[in-house]
Amino acid sequence: MNDLVRQHAALGDSDLEWLHLLVSEWQLLSDLSFADLVLWVPTRDGTRYVSVAQMRPNTGPTSYQDDMVGHLVPRGRRPLLDAALDEGRIVREGDPEWREEVPVRVESIPVRREGRVLGVIARNTNLLTVRTPSRLELTYLQSASDLAQMIAAGSFPFPGQQVDMDASPRVGDGLLRLDADGIVQYASPNALSAYHRLGLASDLVGHHLGTATAELAPSRGPVDEALAKLASGWAPREFEIEGGDGVIQLRAIPLKPKGPRIGSLVLLRDVTELRRRERELITKDATIREIHHRVKNNLQTVAALLRLQARRIDSAKGREALEEAVRRVGSIAIVHETLSQNLDERVEFDEIADRVLAMVAEISPGKVTGRRTGRFGILDAEVATPLSMVLTEILQNALEHGFRDGDTGTVEVSAVRGGTTKDARLLITVQDDGVGLPDDFDPHRSGNLGLQIVRTLVEGELGGTFDMVRAPERGTQVLLDVPVRGEK
């Protein structure tokens, strides 16, 4: 819609925002009217109309089999559009049109904002299945007529009331029609069933909706006046009420077709099962986070025990082996600590990489500094855990074997996300400026335990590739290519 309006029409940004607000609401008008809606905007030179948006009803058959968005028609070809735009009124005159042997009633509704008509909504009703309307259908049509008059007057949609149509109640979910005093004039079967689930034992028609709703809500004191006022439909609001065995989501729409409020339209939906499932998910998420928290605590306990054991060993090699095990356990604990703070099984790995880099740098024999460039991004836990161990082993190997006591230098970890959405790759380079590799060194045959762990995790668990080569100028370069999922 933005492109079509800016290409063809002479509307400003505030006008375009009003049209977006209208389009976010007009599924309601389409469903109440049992009709297709097409929004036409006059072109910049005033000689044509361009259709910028279209909506089909959920409550009846469509009048348009084809998509109308982007169509251009000259002025004069559709007199109802001309009359609605020029006179600023709803135009219903004329005989039904025939489209592919289907009779269609066409009406035009001017879209007004701050006294100016921005465009025209063509409301097209398929008359092929017309029959004697029921009380429900008559209520729908009357409500649609009131909303159409409000659009023509510029009082609908409501400014500042952006509605999420995917989450808000729809016409078919349940509908109540109230008079100006908040008394229920009509209740659809779905609406009545929803209130019965809240605990209502009688009919709603003839009762004050606000009072009836507040009485059904659990309360230790008198009737909640704020809730009673909201449910009376005095202002455009969306809220939920829980009582008995159910939860209902309500949306109140004041009806002001001629200025003063003549009543309200209340859409409602039974969201009991939805909220129950949400509570189950919240409980499940909390349980998973607690498990990760306890695993982290247990790993830290294991690390503390290993550290304590290392202090009691006289053998330097034994003490060094236990200290390496402490760092390996610590790298896994960092991942579980991060997972214990998230709502899903994914982690921001950049933070983990920085912490692993800081943890391993503590063993530096000299003044060796570490830094990270690029972004790892968000990774699944099944990738983050082995990758944290791999990074720990590589960094530990670089600091222990690449530098001698008293040496100064740098170890840099760089990460680049690449590939396609279906075949995303993470390219990791760990480079130091230390002494470099011996001439006869083969990383794929080395008996070093750390490198064996790296090979097993990268090639076996992560399904990636691993290589260790001389750096272009000085030192050693470790290259990892790992398939990943998640966000960059």
Side-chain angles (χ1 to χ4, degrees), residues 41-110:
V41 175
T43 57
R44 192 173 287 107
D45 58 9
T47 62
R48 296 180 296 174
Y49 298 96
V50 58
S51 58
V52 298
Q54 179 179 0
M55 178 58 66
R56 291 182 173 90
N58 293 318
T59 53
T62 182
S63 302
Y64 287 110
Q65 298 300 325
D66 299 326
D67 190 358
M68 294 295 296
V69 175
H71 279 56
L72 289 162
V73 297
R75 276 185 66 99
R77 179 173 296 179
R78 302 194 177 184
L80 297 186
L81 293 181
D82 298 340
L85 182 69
D86 298 337
E87 301 173 22
R89 65 180 180 88
I90 298 176
V91 181
R92 297 189 175 95
E93 297 88 353
D95 297 327
E97 298 180 1
W98 287 83
R99 299 175 187 165
E100 298 180 358
E101 299 183 354
V102 175
V104 177
R105 182 175 63 242
V106 181
E107 305 167 84
S108 295
I109 305 168

Side-chain angles (χ1 to χ4, degrees), residues 158-181:
F158 303 109
Q161 292 290 323
Q162 189 75 33
V163 175
D164 183 358
M165 291 307 297
D166 291 331
S168 294
R170 299 196 175 193
V171 170
D173 295 328
L175 178 143
L176 300 170
R177 176 80 186 222
L178 315 182
D179 65 12
D181 297 323

Side-chain angles (χ1 to χ4, degrees), residues 146 149-150 153 155 254-263:
D146 293 335
Q149 292 183 57
M150 292 170 64
S155 58
L255 297 176
K256 306 175 182 179
K258 297 180 180 179
R261 185 171 70 88
I262 64 168

